[in-house]
C-alpha cells in the first residue's frame, strides 16, 4: 500500500510514528511543511522537517517534542554573550550541526529536497520525507502591537510572542511562485490513500495545501483527516490562535468545515466530539490522544480503516 501524509512538526511526527507501526509494510511518503523555515545566524533552519526526521529517527527530545535528545546550548549562550539577536529561538548544539550541513549543501547548489534525503540517510526515518517545495515560501503574520501594524516571521510570532498578540492575517509569502518539490505530485498521484495527521490546520496542513498543485492532487484521492482539536481545545500548543486569525472556531466541527468535503472523505474525531458531521464526509469517533506509541498506532489504524 502507498500512503502519503502531509505533516507539520510535533503533531505530525508523533502521528507518523504510529502510522509507521500500524502499517509496517506500507510505503509512506511524507510531504513536510517548510513554511516555518527561517534563516538564523546564516543557518537555514527547517523546524518541521527536522522534527519529523528526529522523531522517526529516534533522536528527538521526547518531553519537549522538538529538538535533539541530550542537547546542550553552548553555541546559543556564546552568541548571546556577544549580544547577538535573536536570542528567543532555541538552537541546540547538536541541532546546529544539522543546520550547518543543510546550509553548506544549499550554498553548494543542492535543492532542499536532495538535502533532506541526504540528512535522512543518517536518520533512517523509515518513510520518504520530501519538503512541500524547494522554493522559499515562508509564513508571515500581520500583527498590531505597540510598535505598530507590521508583518513578522511566523517564528517571531509563535516563539518570541507565544502567539499572545492577535494575528490579523497569516500569509505564506512566496506561495504563488512556489512549485511542489520533485516527487510530491508523483507520490500523490500514486497514493492509495492520503492521511492528514492532527497537525495545525492553518500553518502546517493549510500551508502545504497552498503550494500550487498540491491541493488539487490531494483532492483526487481518498483522504482521511485526524482532528487536531479535541473538545474545543488544541490538546497542546497554540493552534487556536491560528484558527482565530482566519476566523475559524476552535472545534473539530469547524476544522472539518475548513477542510471541506472536496478535500476530505473521512474525518476522525475524539469521542467527546461525537456528533460532528458534514455531508459527503464519513465521521468516526475514537480516542485521539497520542499519549504513547500504542495509543498513537491505534489512531493510525483507525484512520486507515476509515480510508478503506
Ligand atoms: P508543530 O508544527 O510542531 O506545531 O506541529 P503540528 O502542526 O504537526 O501539530 C500541532 C498540532 O498537533 C497541535 O495544534 C495539536 O492540535 C495537535 N496535537 C498535539 N497532540 C495531539 C494529540 O495527542 N492528539 C491530537 N488529536 N492532536 C494533537
Ligand atoms: Ca511547525
Amino acid at each position: 500500500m502507498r500512503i502519503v501524509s502531509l505533516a507539520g512538526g510535533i503533531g505530525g511526527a508523533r502521528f507518523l510514528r504510529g502510522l509507521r507501526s500500524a502499517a509496517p509494510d506500507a510505503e509512506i511518503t511524507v510531504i513536510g511543511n517548510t513554511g516555518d523555515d527561517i534563516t538564523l545566524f546564516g543557518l537555514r533552519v527547517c523546524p518541521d522537517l527536522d522534527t519529523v526526521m528526529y522523531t522517526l529517527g529516534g533522536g528527538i527530545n521526547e518531553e519537549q517534542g522538538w529538538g535533539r535528545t541530550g542537547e546542550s546550548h553552548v553555541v546559543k549562550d556564546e552568541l548571546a554573550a556577544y549580544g547577538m539577536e535573536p536570542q528567543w529561538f532555541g538552537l541546540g548544539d547538536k541541532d546546529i550541526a544539522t543546520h550547518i550541513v543543510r546550509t553548506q549543501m544549499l550554498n553548494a547548489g543542492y535543492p532542499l529536497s536532495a538535502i533532506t534525503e541526504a540528512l535522512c540517510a543518517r536518520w533512517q526515518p523509515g518513510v520518504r520525507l520530501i519538503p512541500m517545495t524547494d522554493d522559499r515560501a515562508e509564513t508571515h503574520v500581520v500583527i498590531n502591537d505597540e510598535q505598530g501594524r507590521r508583518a513578522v516571521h511566523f517564528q517571531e510570532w509563535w516563539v518570541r510572542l507565544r502567539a499572545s498578540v492577535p494575528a490579523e492575517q497569516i500569509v505564506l509569502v512566496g506561495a504563488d511562485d512556489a512549485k511542489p518539490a520533485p516527487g510530491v505530485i508523483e507520490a500523490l498521484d500514486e497514493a492509495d490513500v492520503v492521511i492528514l495527521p492532527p497537525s495545525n490546520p492553518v500553518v502546517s496542513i493549510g500551508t502545504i495545501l497552498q503550494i500550487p498543485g498540491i491541493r488539487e492532487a490531494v483532492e483526487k484521492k481518498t483522504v482521511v483527516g485526524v482532528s487536531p482539536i479535541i473538545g474545543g481545545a488544541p490538546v497542546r500548543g497554540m493552534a487556536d490562535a491560528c484558527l482565530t486569525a482566519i476566523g475559524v472556531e476552535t472545534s473539530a466541527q469547524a476544522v472539518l468545515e475548513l477542510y471541506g468535503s472536496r478535500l476530505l472523505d473521512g474525518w476522525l474525531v475524539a469521542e467527546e466530539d461525537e456528533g460532528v458531521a458534514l455531508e459527503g464526509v464519513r465521521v468516526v469517533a475514537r480516542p485521539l490522544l497520542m499519549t504513547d506509541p500504542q495509543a498513537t498506532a491505534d489512531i493510525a489504524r483507525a484512520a486507515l480503516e476509515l480510508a478503506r
Side-chain angles (χ1 to χ4, degrees), residues 167-203:
E168 290 187 358
Q169 232 184 315
I170 298 179
V171 187
L172 183 61
V173 179
D176 295 348
D177 300 319
K179 291 177 301 300
V184 166
I185 299 298
E186 293 80 351
L188 284 167
D189 285 345
E190 289 168 7
D192 298 306
V193 53
V194 177
I195 309 267
L196 307 184
S199 283
N200 189 309
V202 184
V203 295

Side-chain angles (χ1 to χ4, degrees), residues 8-10 33 36 47-48 154-155 158 203-204:
I10 302 178
N33 173 40
D36 294 13
D48 285 0
F154 171 74
Q155 297 295 358
W158 195 249
V203 295
S204 292

Side-chain angles (χ1 to χ4, degrees), residues 8-12 48 198-200 204 227-228 230 234-236 239 288-290:
I10 302 178
D48 285 0
S199 283
N200 189 309
S204 292
S227 177
I230 299 182
V235 194
R236 65 177 283 161
L288 284 196
L289 277 179
M290 300 189 285

